[in-house]
Amino acid sequence: MNTDHSLPTPDLDVIVKGSGPALLLAHGAGGGIEGNFGLVLDDLARDHTLVGPHYPGAGGSPVDPEPLDLDDLADQLVAAAVAAGQESFAVLGESLGSAVAVRIAARYPDRVRALVLTAGFPVADPVLALAARLIKSLADADQWDDVARLAYLSCLSPTDLADIEPADLDAPVAQTLAGMPPGMLDHFDLVSRVDVRSDLGIVSAPTLVVAPTGDRLVLPESSYRLAAGIPGAKLIELPGAAHILNEADRATWLHHVREFLGTLPSTTA
């Protein structure tokens, strides 16, 4: 087993569920394990051990007083998996979690059995970079309602938006505001600094890249760049799907992910 990087003592809030080959879950900025993966946790846990760490400032993980570091976050997630008894695993990354997953694969190639990267990016594209900047500016001005409006609208597809009456926005925006974790600004600060472009060519794990084509927060082209940069990566599109997958699109995602995971060599780890 590769031990090039010494693992820290894990101090993240972690969900562990199920049994079978391990899946390490890497969630997105301003999200969490339930928020990103809640629709499929029970299904995947039927035949996999799920290890879902919350980033600092999400779930029950304390806010980090220092700016988040991608290497440190990658090491923390791996440490959480090892502490849960999982020496090797596939990594399922969503949005920011895709960059975290790529860095994990680059730092721990002997531990990573596969990658699934959804709505991901190697570096923030112009839309994502602007959104991260706006979120910080609005938060600095204590305009948290507007942060929630931006976050909510950015995570819907054009089709989703076309079906919403303006008068019906208040309730979901309030729900978005209530669900924003304390570490949201720290997460988006990391989003603005992430750059895993140099890692892509050295990823050796089988990789599935999932591109929601209706994503208005992370351009689908960012997923295409991930797929183009990782040797042998398979790309699938979810036509019209938003950044946060709805129930129907998540069901399609689950079908493709299960099919991909089914091609991996069996393991008892």
Side-chain angles (χ1 to χ4, degrees), residues 81-107:
V82 173
Q86 306 302 322
E87 294 291 337
S88 65
F89 36 76
V91 189
L92 277 57
E94 303 250 339
S95 193
L96 172 61
S98 288
V100 176
V102 168
R103 183 58 53 88
I104 289 172
R107 288 173 70 79

Side-chain angles (χ1 to χ4, degrees), residues 119-150:
F121 54 94
V123 65
D125 59 50
V127 172
L128 181 58
L130 179 58
R133 183 174 178 178
L134 286 172
I135 287 171
K136 182 181 187 304
S137 297
L138 292 169
D140 286 345
D142 202 28
Q143 296 179 349
W144 286 99
D145 286 350
D146 288 334
V147 172
R149 291 185 183 96
L150 175 60

Side-chain angles (χ1 to χ4, degrees), residues 93-95 98 115-120 207-213 215 220 222-224 226-227 234-238 241 245 249-250 252-254 256-257 260:
E94 303 250 339
S95 193
S98 288
L115 296 179
V116 176
L117 311 177
T118 304
T207 300
L208 174 66
V209 177
V210 184
T213 65
D215 195 336
S222 289
S223 287
Y224 303 155
L226 284 174
K234 177 182 179 181
L235 171 71
I236 66 166
E237 295 178 327
L238 297 180
L245 302 181
D249 289 324
R250 184 59 83 176
T252 303
W253 175 94
L254 180 62
H256 288 296
V257 170
F260 171 70

Side-chain angles (χ1 to χ4, degrees), residues 74-87:
D75 292 349
Q76 277 285 342
L77 264 65
V78 173
V82 173
Q86 306 302 322
E87 294 291 337

Side-chain angles (χ1 to χ4, degrees), residues 102-103 106 122-123 195-203 229:
V102 168
R103 183 58 53 88
V123 65
D195 189 345
V196 297
R197 288 175 291 186
S198 64
D199 294 338
L200 301 181
I202 63 173
V203 171

